[in-house]
Amino acid sequence: MEGEEPAAIPKESSAGLRACWHPVMYAHDVGRAPTATLLLDEPLVLWRDSAGAAHAFRDVCVHRGTALSLGAVEGDEIVCAYHGWRYGADGACTAIPQLADSRRVPARARAVAHRCAERYGLVWVALEEPRWPLPDVPELDDPRWRVVRTGPFSWRTDASRQVENFTDFGHFAFVHRGLLGDPARPVVAAHEVITDGPVLRYRYGRPDQPNTDAFPVYAAGERADETRRTHYALHLPYTIVEHIDWGGRDGMVYFFASQPVSADRCVGYCLVARNYNLDQPDQVMQDFERTIFAQDQRVVESQRPERVPVDLAAELHLTFDAVAVAYRRAMRAHGLA
Ligand code: FES
Ligand SMILES: [Fe+2]
């Protein structure tokens, strides 16, 4: 997020996107000290109160527009770095030190407090009343599953491109040869996409790719077949839940969500859960995903336009691009693009 200024998200889609939950940071990266991020061009400050609850305010002090993220948290209040105004968790200013009676605060002295939730080890924010709840993924709360948080992956592109790449079947054999695919087996089998309100559901049997010595991340037990069975639920706009199995009891769950920072910036959070190899250190999966995401990043950052074009005539779609077509239709139908 350094360098040139990020491009702004067009107004037509930002209204719809503001009424959705978005991840804004891994929960373990949000501490007592205020920390800044950007969501849909909106600067946010994230902080925790004394009970550990996370809060997300607009990162602007109503007094002179200073970033609240420069301040500090004291007790259950965030204190502006410039003149020391204090704000409680609901956003109301509680004290103005320059006043003879610092507690005689005008009603307009408020910070903008956004809806903020913590789930699956992520902090989520919705800038308007969210239309849809967060997806339920029981495995992520189940102690029999080991959940590894990988990334975050900051890319110079729109969240829609990062999400679409995560679920693109045609690139595995080319971008991730030897790790996720085999150039000798590039054919993408037919798959049907069912659009269920704001969720696209589809399943796909992928040629399995054996573990590598560097990254023994897949279940290595007995396999019922040569196919990796994947079930996807793409929750609009930018969250994907993918279940993988090999026909036996070993399973994986990928939970991927992209933070729409601006029209050409996003941050991907990729949780990988498994019910086997429970003792493997998290570093193995984190290194694996760092490698995979780096392979994707250079390709996806080169795509133009930076946002997925919802006009189906803008790119060339073939039958194996069923997910991309359904995603564009659904994003448009819901006013998200
Ligand atoms: S700008 Fe924040 S207290 Fe003055
Ligand atoms: Fe990829």
Side-chain angles (χ1 to χ4, degrees):
M1 277 181 248
E2 59 293 320
E4 311 135 45
E5 283 290 294
I9 292 173
K11 287 279 168 284
E12 314 84 80
S13 59
S14 68
L17 292 169
R18 288 172 65 89
C20 298
W21 286 112
H22 300 283
V24 291
M25 205 165 281
Y26 273 131
H28 60 69
D29 290 330
V30 181
R32 289 280 283 164
T35 176
T37 189
L38 204 58
L39 175 67
L40 298 167
D41 306 316
E42 173 100 347
L44 298 180
V45 53
L46 309 176
W47 58 284
R48 286 188 191 278
D49 62 29
S50 60
H55 302 283
F57 286 4
R58 182 156 205 255
D59 193 11
V60 176
C61 179
V62 68
H63 181 217
R64 286 292 176 272
T66 305
L68 290 171
S69 54
L70 295 177
V73 174
E74 291 175 17
D76 292 324
E77 294 167 326
I78 184 166
V79 184
C80 181
Y82 202 178
H83 309 100
W85 293 22
R86 307 174 75 90
Y87 299 91
D90 62 353
C93 183
T94 54
I96 296 178
Q98 290 75 21
L99 291 175
D101 177 356
S102 70
R103 298 275 154 186
R104 293 200 52 179
V105 171
R108 280 189 55 234
R110 292 190 68 88
V112 177
H114 292 298
R115 288 160 201 80
C116 182
E118 195 166 332
R119 194 147 176 213
Y120 307 137
L122 283 161
V123 174
W124 302 79
V125 170
L127 299 175
E128 305 290 344
E129 184 63 33
R131 297 194 268 176
W132 305 302
L134 286 171
D136 281 317
V137 188
E139 293 87 348
L140 298 181
D141 294 323
D142 185 334
R144 292 167 298 182
W145 289 69
R146 181 161 180 151
V147 182
V148 183
R149 294 178 173 81
T150 74
F153 303 103
S154 291
W155 288 8
R156 287 192 149 228
T157 192
D158 184 74
S160 55
R161 289 288 194 192
Q162 195 178 44
V163 164
E164 196 163 274
N165 167 255
F166 189 89
T167 182
D168 177 281
F169 301 136
H171 81 289
F172 292 127
F174 296 90
V175 176
H176 310 298
R177 60 183 65 196
L179 290 176
L180 298 179
D182 174 357
R185 291 188 293 176
V187 175
V188 175
H191 51 278
E192 189 192 355
V193 181
I194 294 165
T195 302
D196 176 5
V199 186
L200 310 185
R201 298 182 196 281
Y202 46 98
R203 52 182 64 185
Y204 183 61
R206 234 161 85 192
D208 198 24
Q209 199 48 39
N211 273 322
T212 57
D213 292 342
F215 302 121
V217 293
Y218 296 115
E222 268 182 48
R223 304 271 171 87
D225 52 41
E226 286 281 281
T227 302
R228 183 178 302 181
R229 306 195 303 186
T230 61
H231 295 238
Y232 287 81
L234 197 172
H235 295 254
L236 297 186
Y238 307 130
T239 299
I240 296 178
V241 184
E242 178 193 4
H243 284 79
I244 301 178
D245 72 80
W246 291 266
R249 63 168 296 282
D250 290 345
M252 294 180 95
V253 177
Y254 273 82
F255 182 91
F256 178 74
S258 188
Q259 172 184 356
V261 171
S262 62
D264 57 2
R265 301 279 199 287
C266 64
V267 182
Y269 303 89
C270 183
L271 278 60
V272 191
R274 62 177 189 272
N275 64 356
Y276 58 88
N277 289 354
L278 296 179
D279 297 329
Q280 184 179 75
D282 290 353
Q283 194 69 41
V284 178
M285 186 64 79
Q286 288 163 340
D287 289 349
F288 176 68
E289 293 302 337
R290 189 176 306 114
T291 303
I292 296 293
F293 274 81
Q295 292 174 333
D296 287 316
Q297 183 178 6
R298 58 185 285 276
V299 177
V300 177
E301 288 187 346
S302 81
Q303 287 180 284
R304 294 295 177 271
E306 284 89 343
R307 305 191 86 198
V308 163
V310 288
D311 175 3
L312 292 179
E315 293 180 329
L316 180 60
H317 305 287
L318 300 183
T319 48
F320 54 83
D321 292 314
V323 174
V325 171
Y327 182 53
R328 287 141 204 255
R329 287 206 172 109
M331 287 288 278
R332 182 143 83 173
H334 289 283
L336 298 167

